[in-house]
Amino acid sequence: MIHRQREEIARTLHEPLAKIAGACVGAWDDHTRLNEVLNGGCRNIPSCGALFAVDREGIQISDTVSAEGANPADVGRDRSSRPYMREAVPAWGFLLSDAYVGLVNRRPSLTALHVVRRGEDLLGYVGATFNLRDLPVSARLYEDLPRWLQIKGDPSIRNAVLLQTRVESPMDQNLDQVLSVIEELLIERGVFQGVIHFASSRATLWTVDDPFRYRILDHEALSDPDICLVYPCRAYADEAIIPRTRIPPLLGALKELRMMDENFYLRSASLNLFNGMISLTFSCDGTHYMPYEEFLTRRLAFWIGNGAV
């Protein structure tokens, strides 16, 4: 997805920047004329933040030209250490750099470079800078493929995991009822994402009626089925990847992981109905992300043998 978006941006920028580079050849040794070329070219490059020219050593020989005008303060600036100057320009003479954080605006940016040649001689480069926010995005929203992802936690916590034991939380003392309430909220009351914090006895919930805000329910609220009355009944979403019939076994598996061992145990877990992913954070601070189907195939022996790291 990112590669396709970069290809589209490169196709948009290559031709106008090549024309500017060609026009710079005759003006390369004349500072005033070079600025005029850049000033005229800036208007022909969509979303361009600024144009500049550097010699083959990376020293700027032009003003920095933008829609607001020309700024001579950067003449003589050494750009050789900037990320875009440290990438290898392809043989065809055009480079769209990787994104980087700009020195001045501190925003994600990228730079397009085109070589400037007089015959076989490399004179330098013309550069065009862009704020990522100004570039058109035609690709669909980035979506990672569901897969098992394991992230190790804080080494200081992992190394001390055998020195700690699970302390029964208020949620643990009434876990069956708590999970029944959460099941009702997920299946019948429009909750599509929930994070269950077993150790601190609370849950964070998102609803389809108000998806941009979360609710926090403590163990007292989660232990009282009346809390369900606060959330209106909603049909189970057709777009949900997790079938409603799989919610009870998922919650049952979370209970097993919470109680599985005195040293290695589940601290918190989350599930999202629409992307079908489960996340698990264990006492060793290790976190796992996996599709719900894969999660349901794992038995306790896997988690204990894996050390949950």
Side-chain angles (χ1 to χ4, degrees):
M1 191 72 70
I2 295 174
H3 179 70
R4 289 200 298 270
Q5 179 68 10
R6 285 179 56 83
E7 282 186 337
E8 188 160 334
I9 293 171
R11 282 196 298 269
T12 302
L13 301 180
H14 184 194
E15 183 177 348
L17 198 58
K19 290 181 178 178
I20 295 172
C24 284
V25 174
W28 197 254
D29 301 318
D30 187 324
H31 180 84
T32 301
R33 288 181 58 203
L34 188 58
N35 288 338
E36 291 173 353
V37 171
L38 297 179
N39 185 58
C42 190
R43 294 189 291 268
N44 297 322
I45 299 183
S47 307
C48 180
L51 275 175
F52 60 88
V54 296
D55 64 20
R56 57 189 179 187
E57 304 299 329
I59 305 301
Q60 185 163 332
I61 62 172
S62 73
D63 294 353
T64 298
V65 177
S66 67
E68 287 74 37
N71 180 5
D74 286 336
V75 175
R77 174 184 171 187
D78 185 355
R79 292 181 179 262
S80 61
S81 63
R82 298 299 296 141
Y84 46 86
M85 295 300 299
R86 302 180 70 162
E87 296 184 46
V89 178
W92 55 87
F94 174 81
L95 168 73
L96 182 65
S97 77
D98 291 334
Y100 59 90
V101 175
L103 285 176
V104 177
N105 57 28
R106 306 303 303 169
R107 294 179 184 142
S109 308
L110 57 78
T111 293
L113 287 179
H114 200 290
V115 298
V116 179
R117 292 185 183 275
R118 182 179 290 140
E120 297 298 319
D121 295 332
L122 173 65
L123 300 178
Y125 306 88
V126 171
T129 62
F130 303 86
N131 288 330
L132 291 193
R133 66 160 91 177
D134 297 329
L135 290 170
V137 177
S138 58
R140 292 183 303 170
L141 184 65
Y142 174 72
E143 184 175 335
D144 199 4
L145 294 176
R147 59 186 177 88
W148 177 25
L149 177 63
Q150 181 179 0
I151 300 175
K152 293 187 176 182
D154 187 337
S156 65
I157 297 177
R158 293 205 312 272
N159 294 337
V161 68
L162 294 177
L163 303 178
Q164 65 177 7
T165 57
R166 182 177 63 84
V167 176
E168 188 176 58
S169 69
M171 181 182 286
D172 293 337
Q173 296 170 6
N174 196 25
L175 193 51
D176 286 332
Q177 182 152 322
V178 166
L179 293 178
S180 293
V181 169
I182 292 175
E183 177 184 326
E184 169 76 11
L185 294 173
L186 287 167
I187 295 177
E188 304 290 348
R189 302 286 171 167
V191 172
F192 70 89
Q193 177 169 323
V195 183
I196 307 171
H197 303 272
F198 296 97
S200 55
S201 299
R202 58 190 168 88
T204 308
L205 307 175
W206 286 258
T207 69
V208 293
D209 290 322
D210 193 12
F212 300 115
R213 299 177 179 85
Y214 59 79
R215 273 79 175 167
I216 299 176
L217 302 183
D218 62 18
H219 73 278
E220 292 182 356
L222 291 168
S223 298
D224 183 0
D226 277 345
I227 193 64
C228 297
L229 299 176
V230 176
Y231 297 85
C233 289
R234 292 290 179 263
Y236 198 78
D238 293 335
E239 299 86 355
I241 291 178
I242 303 179
R244 59 185 296 157
T245 57
R246 307 307 280 163
I247 300 299
L250 284 171
L251 295 176
L254 296 181
K255 176 185 175 182
E256 289 185 345
L257 293 180
R258 175 63 181 168
M259 304 298 179
M260 69 176 175
D261 186 80
E262 288 302 303
N263 300 116
F264 296 106
Y265 53 85
L266 190 64
R267 280 197 340 214
S268 65
S270 73
L271 69 163
N272 185 294
L273 303 183
F274 293 117
N275 67 12
M277 296 294 288
I278 308 295
S279 77
L280 311 161
T281 300
F282 290 90
S283 55
C284 58
D285 204 38
T287 301
H288 295 254
Y289 299 87
M290 61 176 58
Y292 80 94
E293 307 102 315
E294 183 176 358
F295 171 65
L296 287 173
T297 66
R298 302 296 185 183
R299 299 292 178 254
L300 288 182
F302 167 81
W303 298 106
I304 294 176
N306 187 58
V309 296

